[in-house]
Amino acid sequence: MPDELIEATRSFLNKEGRCEIVARLLRSMSLALLVLFCVVPQAFGESIGSVKTFQDMGNGIELNCTNAYLSIELLTPEIARVRVGVKRPGAENRYLEDYSYAIREDLPKEKVNYRVKEEGKSILLSSDALDVVITKNPVLVAFLDKQGFRLSEDFSPMSWVPAPEGHSVTCTKYLSYGEHFYGLGEKTGPLDKRRSKVKMWNTGEYGDDIRSDPLYQSHPFFIGLKEYKAYGIFFDNTYRTHFDMGHTYEDRYIFRSEGGELDYYFIAGPLVKDVVKRFSFLTGYMPLPPIWALGHMICRWSYYPETEVMDIATRARAEKIPLDVIWLDIHYMDGYRCFTWDKSRFPDLPGMVSKLHAMGYRVVSMINPGIKADPKYFVFKEGIQRDAFVKYPHGGLYIGKVWPKECVFPDFTRPDVQEWWGSLYKGLLDAGIDGFWNDMNEPDIFHTKTSTMDDSAVFHDFGLLTSHKKIHNIYGSYMAKSTLEGISQLMGNRRAFVLSRAGYSGLQRYAASWTGDNTSNFDHLRLQIPMFLNLGLSGTPFIGSDIGGFFKSANAELLVRWYQASALVPLMREHNCRGEYDQEPWVHGDPYKSFIRKYVNMRYRLLPYLYTSFYEASKDGSPIMRPLLYEYQQDSNTFTLDDQFLIGRHILVAPVLNEGSIGRLVYLPKGNWYDYETKDVLEGNRSIYYDAPLDMLPVFIREGAIVPTKELGQYTTEKSVETITLEVYPLQTRESSTSFLYMDDGITKNTPFVLFKFEMERTGNKVCIEFNSTGAFDGIKSFDLKVYSKRPRKITFDGKETEFSYEDGAVYLHTAKDIKLVELIY
Ligand code: MIG
């Protein structure tokens, strides 16, 4: 027994000692009472209080409330930013530093018309699209549309408890029984997030749990759909945040953070479409990728040596399975050192890449944030010289273990580090590598309890020197930003492509993303679809999953079904973990490989349609892959539908997602639909049972669609776009419909384009198609038209009757691209 302990025991036994202890107890109790009365209310939370005064700020109002300032700023008539600045005695500024890692820096500022009115117990701030009603005592905020419909309102006053950095803030809103939620980024579970509870904290995932949360990305944004009217809330807080969408309480939903400030954007609809577009207006648009990034890609952890890569390349061409991109995972590096390559596995990397280029391939290689702490390694040396790596508060380097063992990590919040990082890609670009894959950028760190950096690690954060707690969720996005901006500069006018695993809202400005390490089973296959859909609704349209599943191996059936489900998904990449049985499309032989070929071919023919959807996404944030509710918001049958989806506005895909199934129910929304396989016309507004043995992917085309296609090539740029085939699906019940075709050279940034607009109208026995175009790209010279209908009596081109052929239920026509009007008379 240590001496002190013996002494203490002895003194307790004598009377004096006992008195001393009682006295001490009393003293500490009074301290406890003090804590109870003074500090605890703080710790258990303080809320905003009541409005004392308010003032017009020129762009909205600021209310001076008991415990905080509340500012409500109108960015547009439909977007209101709500900020709560907790009163901190002695603080210079009312709010925390106003810098967002998500909102575009070039966000256009607009002068919004609004009125402010005090009405008894509340204050009304109204724009032409939105009424914000602030109840004065206690402060409660409600958002109403112009019909007086309460889109969303506070359940209880906004509140907070002090946190090590800022406050842990809470916002609680009413939840009604008929309310649905979408968005929230990369989350497992069903499409509708009602009754879910999720966390935002970028995390690497190593298991096959289908309900894992959180995953690699954080998108603290959701869409509420209430009585067919939509609104959005973006909680722009990069600390760990929590969303409880009616999970714990039936009657309210809650979002809260573990630090920072209450800062959210309320976005009015009423269309889901408009909410998504407005959120994209805030967080930016995906740049149009090079067209090869729309092609089929294959990957594994890892293809090496050079002969294996070349075998894959030769095999795909021999099998006649179109393929654009071969990926190099970490084993191409020299001992996991980023920006190097292994000279024994790849003795002549530039030579290999140029052979692949000659075969029509592109090569993407991996770069991780962990830089091997090796004094002989140039990236480590340069980084140390520039003081580029993340440190502890005492100034020592933060060291974490990843693949190369001890690693240091660039501080991507520093503009000069971003630039340096970007410039490091020069060597690989000079070797011919076409694009880059940023992995492990949560950052994911081995052998730690939290599987990431220590909370205490310090980041520059524009001079604020904040901790990992604030920067964690944006680390991935900012690595991707550094990569994209760096390579864009080095690549001149060529378009850049980056794939990132981690990200925060706004990631789409810098990179495409995929859903990470899934598992080869049907549960995981099914899970991908709502994940893609909610990512798309969260502003990040360019997404995909590891086809076949990452962990474990896909059997023939699963591989075929996963390929079918991915046939029109924005990013189409097969990938596989090391040590698992191969998963390339041909490994299970025939008939499986022909089933896969059929749908890779379909994608390559539909490239002009897919590319047009990418173009649309790059302009206004419209998701490429959409839940049905996006186009059919008035149809409540679509609200939970997450095993079928739309690509662009006209193609409905309903993949088979269950093992052993040879058919499924498909919901067709109102209107008529063409079966893509048979061209039969099916009536909508009902569910049908569709036979889909293993060689079938159920695909339907909306009546009125004009679907641009091109000749099948083995890679995206093999066949020219000189003649585009327009598949025409005449209107049956609706009266008019609009379709588009966007095209450019597919590789350069500031390049001429052409945008065709096709307007179809149906009157009596006549179907007319009006052609309009803008833009100077002249690669398209003519159109082949294939109209799926009965034989017309007469067809005219710009008023003049023309010859046509009719075969197997389709009309065949050929026309120059400058035609203005086609009329089909039945
Ligand atoms: O700890 O680079 O999600 O796609 O193959 C695993 C190896 C690291 C995780 C990525 C996966 C990739 C793997 N990486």
Side-chain angles (χ1 to χ4, degrees):
M1 232 199 263
D3 290 347
E4 298 92 302
L5 210 60
I6 296 172
E7 184 48 39
T9 323
R10 226 182 251 142
S11 72
F12 181 72
L13 296 177
N14 66 49
K15 196 166 159 244
E16 257 162 281
R18 274 204 302 276
C19 288
E20 175 60 7
I21 280 179
V22 171
R24 269 194 213 172
L25 216 65
L26 281 174
R27 243 180 288 144
S28 52
M29 265 172 66
S30 62
L31 197 72
L33 286 179
L34 197 79
V35 168
L36 203 67
F37 289 118
C38 306
V39 186
V40 169
Q42 276 268 332
F44 278 113
E46 183 177 67
S47 66
I48 185 155
S50 58
V51 177
K52 298 206 279 191
T53 56
F54 69 93
Q55 55 170 322
D56 195 322
M57 302 289 285
N59 56 359
I61 53 174
E62 187 184 62
L63 305 104
N64 180 359
C65 311
T66 323
N67 299 313
Y69 292 95
L70 168 62
S71 110
I72 304 181
E73 178 193 347
L74 290 163
L75 281 85
T76 70
E78 301 85 9
I79 306 177
R81 180 181 181 190
V82 178
R83 273 182 104 180
V84 176
V86 175
K87 289 187 180 168
R88 296 159 295 157
E92 252 174 63
N93 302 311
R94 291 185 177 173
Y95 306 92
L96 300 182
E97 189 76 4
D98 191 10
Y99 182 81
S100 168
Y101 283 94
I103 305 290
R104 275 152 83 181
E105 274 169 21
D106 59 351
L107 188 73
K109 288 267 178 317
E110 126 178 28
K111 183 94 192 89
V112 181
N113 280 326
Y114 65 88
R115 295 149 299 282
V116 181
K117 234 182 4 192
E118 201 170 354
E119 281 180 340
K121 290 180 175 162
S122 53
I123 297 157
L124 173 67
L125 166 67
S126 57
S127 73
D128 297 340
L130 196 61
D131 283 346
V132 188
V133 179
I134 304 119
T135 307
K136 286 193 275 190
N137 188 16
V139 175
L140 294 166
V141 184
F143 299 92
L144 284 72
D145 68 11
K146 285 299 179 184
Q147 286 75 49
F149 180 73
R150 300 178 93 80
L151 291 163
S152 158
E153 58 185 305
D154 285 346
F155 179 96
S156 48
M158 295 176 274
S159 65
W160 53 86
V161 291
E165 288 171 17
H167 293 84
S168 168
V169 295
T170 301
C171 193
T172 308
K173 299 199 180 277
Y174 276 100
L175 171 66
S176 63
Y177 186 71
E179 197 160 0
H180 304 268
F181 297 110
Y182 306 99
L184 292 168
E186 191 187 38
K187 294 295 169 199
T188 58
L191 176 69
D192 185 355
K193 293 293 175 232
R194 179 180 175 82
R195 303 279 175 231
S196 74
K197 188 177 156 203
V198 298
K199 214 187 290 178
M200 301 294 169
W201 186 252
N202 296 356
T203 304
E205 165 63 30
Y206 292 91
D208 59 5
D209 180 359
I210 56 156
R211 303 201 60 143
S212 269
D213 181 66
L215 290 176
Y216 317 88
Q217 298 185 23
S218 294
H219 298 264
F221 165 74
F222 62 88
I223 299 168
L225 180 62
K226 190 176 173 185
E227 306 287 330
Y228 304 92
K229 291 185 175 187
Y231 65 87
I233 288 182
F234 174 44
F235 182 25
D236 191 9
N237 185 307
T238 66
Y239 289 87
R240 198 188 262 109
T241 53
H242 302 264
F243 291 77
D244 185 328
M245 311 309 283
H247 181 85
T248 309
Y249 303 100
E250 287 282 313
D251 54 355
R252 69 199 90 154
Y253 67 86
I254 304 163
F255 51 92
R256 63 184 177 88
S257 75
E258 295 188 9
E261 195 170 68
L262 190 51
D263 180 2
Y264 73 87
Y265 295 78
F266 182 87
I267 305 170
L271 295 181
V272 171
K273 267 184 196 167
D274 292 332
V275 175
V276 174
K277 288 179 191 172
R278 287 174 188 142
F279 180 55
S280 304
F281 162 81
L282 286 177
T283 58
Y285 307 104
M286 160 193 83
L288 193 60
I291 193 152
W292 54 261
L294 278 67
H296 170 216
M297 311 174 169
I298 55 185
C299 184
R300 86 164 294 145
W301 180 11
S302 308
Y303 286 136
Y304 70 83
E306 171 173 334
T307 48
E308 182 166 296
V309 176
M310 294 311 294
D311 280 348
I312 296 287
T314 322
R315 183 72 184 267
R317 294 291 181 252
E319 297 283 2
K320 288 215 164 310
I321 296 183
L323 182 65
D324 268 76
V325 191
I326 298 177
W327 290 59
L328 300 178
D329 203 327
I330 42 178
H331 289 96
Y332 84 93
M333 296 178 200
D334 173 14
Y336 301 121
R337 287 173 190 82
C338 294
F339 309 106
T340 68
W341 64 85
D342 183 318
K343 298 277 161 28
S344 60
R345 289 172 179 153
F346 296 96
D348 177 16
L349 186 73
M352 179 188 85
V353 174
S354 82
K355 273 187 270 172
L356 290 169
H357 285 169
M359 295 171 80
Y361 291 112
R362 307 283 171 158
V363 183
V364 175
S365 77
M366 178 177 276
I367 290 293
N368 289 331
I371 293 301
K372 189 177 174 76
D374 166 5
K376 289 196 257 40
Y377 167 36
F378 78 101
V379 181
F380 178 76
K381 278 195 287 190
E382 278 183 37
I384 292 289
Q385 273 159 19
R386 290 167 183 269
D387 192 17
F389 301 121
V390 177
K391 292 184 182 163
Y392 281 112
H394 54 66
L397 278 176
Y398 168 79
I399 306 227
K401 283 196 184 158
V402 209
W403 296 111
K405 305 247 166 63
E406 277 77 17
C407 284
V408 289
F409 296 82
D411 180 353
F412 293 115
T413 67
R414 243 171 63 194
D416 63 311
V417 174
Q418 292 172 18
E419 235 172 81
W420 168 64
W421 184 261
S423 73
L424 291 169
Y425 288 89
K426 183 161 191 308
L428 289 167
L429 283 171
D430 287 347
I433 302 291
D434 300 277
F436 296 95
W437 175 15
N438 288 171
D439 188 26
M440 303 292 281
N441 50 350
E442 291 73 27
D444 191 342
I445 316 266
F446 296 163
H447 317 303
T448 58
K449 267 206 195 112
T450 58
S451 67
T452 191
M453 278 183 189
D454 293 352
D455 272 353
S456 62
V458 182
F459 290 79
H460 180 261
D461 189 22
F462 300 92
L464 296 174
L465 302 178
T466 24
S467 79
H468 177 71
K469 292 197 216 88
K470 177 178 175 195
I471 301 306
H472 178 84
N473 280 342
I474 62 97
Y475 193 79
S477 276
Y478 268 59
M479 177 183 186
K481 171 183 160 72
S482 312
T483 302
L484 183 85
E485 288 174 355
I487 66 174
S488 294
Q489 214 169 12
L490 292 163
M491 290 170 74
N493 206 21
R494 272 191 305 147
R495 285 181 218 167
F497 172 77
V498 178
L499 182 77
S500 177
R501 192 168 75 168
Y504 182 70
S505 296
L507 174 67
Q508 70 278 1
R509 300 195 294 259
Y510 316 121
S513 65
W514 90 109
T515 52
D517 301 348
N518 52 20
T519 301
S520 300
N521 63 46
F522 277 87
D523 287 342
H524 271 262
L525 168 56
R526 267 193 308 276
L527 177 69
Q528 303 308 315
I529 292 167
M531 268 169 115
F532 295 156
L533 295 174
N534 277 321
L535 276 160
L537 294 174
S538 307
T540 60
F542 198 1
I543 36 163
S545 68
D546 289 348
I547 295 176
F550 181 74
F551 294 119
K552 312 220 169 110
S553 315
N555 63 17
E557 183 191 1
L558 180 64
L559 190 63
V560 171
R561 292 303 193 193
W562 210 311
Y563 257 106
Q564 289 172 347
S566 308
L568 294 175
V569 164
L571 185 94
M572 189 199 212
R573 188 186 72 153
E574 178 267 317
H575 182 40
N576 195 3
C577 185
R578 64 176 170 177
E580 304 292 359
Y581 193 76
D582 300 335
Q583 258 174 204
E584 289 80 21
W586 46 80
V587 295
H588 298 291
D590 263 324
Y592 310 105
K593 71 179 178 198
S594 17
F595 296 170
I596 294 173
R597 185 189 297 116
K598 176 179 171 188
Y599 288 102
V600 181
N601 286 350
M602 177 183 84
R603 181 184 184 94
Y604 275 69
R605 289 204 186 88
L606 286 170
L607 273 171
Y609 177 84
L610 198 58
Y611 194 47
T612 302
S613 308
F614 269 72
Y615 168 75
E616 209 186 324
S618 76
K619 282 292 154 199
D620 66 7
S622 305
I624 297 158
M625 183 167 172
R626 310 170 180 177
L628 270 67
L629 69 95
Y630 190 86
E631 300 286 343
Y632 299 92
Q633 193 175 321
Q634 295 311 314
D635 177 356
S636 58
N637 291 325
T638 64
F639 293 176
T640 57
L641 206 56
D642 57 11
D643 61 354
Q644 54 182 84
F645 53 87
L646 296 164
I647 294 291
R649 52 182 85 194
H650 291 142
I651 302 187
L652 191 159
V653 182
V656 172
L657 303 167
N658 290 312
E659 187 162 17
S661 288
I662 49 163
R664 56 163 288 169
L665 286 172
V666 179
Y667 181 69
L668 298 174
K670 77 162 192 285
N672 283 302
W673 295 85
Y674 288 78
D675 178 335
Y676 192 64
E677 182 85 7
T678 63
K679 310 301 175 190
D680 291 342
V681 180
L682 304 167
E683 214 179 290
N685 200 18
R686 62 179 176 139
S687 287
I688 57 161
Y689 179 82
Y690 195 92
D691 282 318
L694 199 51
D695 64 338
M696 269 304 303
L697 167 70
V699 175
F700 306 87
I701 311 289
R702 193 177 182 189
E703 63 170 310
I706 295 187
V707 178
T709 66
K710 72 180 263 198
E711 194 187 340
L712 173 65
Q714 293 305 301
Y715 50 94
T716 47
T717 51
E718 190 192 21
K719 301 289 181 195
S720 90
V721 290
E722 234 170 77
T723 303
I724 291 283
T725 299
L726 299 177
E727 294 181 358
V728 179
Y729 297 87
L731 290 160
Q732 301 279 337
T733 48
R734 294 164 59 221
E735 269 149 27
S736 64
S737 164
T738 308
S739 308
F740 293 94
L741 162 62
Y742 172 88
M743 195 48 71
D744 60 20
D745 76 358
I747 343 184
T748 36
K749 266 186 265 179
N750 302 302
T751 186
F753 67 90
V754 66
L755 180 64
F756 288 91
K757 184 176 181 190
F758 311 110
E759 276 166 302
M760 194 190 294
E761 257 179 54
R762 190 184 59 94
T763 36
N765 61 347
K766 205 160 84 178
V767 171
C768 310
I769 307 166
E770 222 184 280
F771 289 59
N772 273 297
S773 69
T774 49
F777 175 71
D778 65 356
I780 298 177
K781 308 282 186 217
S782 64
F783 291 118
D784 276 339
L785 267 69
K786 207 168 167 185
V787 185
Y788 297 102
S789 72
K790 61 183 187 203
R791 179 192 282 273
R793 278 195 292 121
K794 185 169 130 185
I795 297 177
T796 66
F797 281 174
D798 292 333
K800 271 190 247 122
E801 186 161 355
T802 184
E803 303 265 294
F804 63 90
S805 59
Y806 186 84
E807 217 179 288
D808 290 338
V811 181
Y812 291 83
L813 295 159
H814 184 84
T815 156
K817 68 155 182 197
D818 34 33
I819 181 127
K820 290 276 161 268
L821 183 68
V822 176
E823 287 177 294
L824 300 126
I825 297 123
Y826 291 93

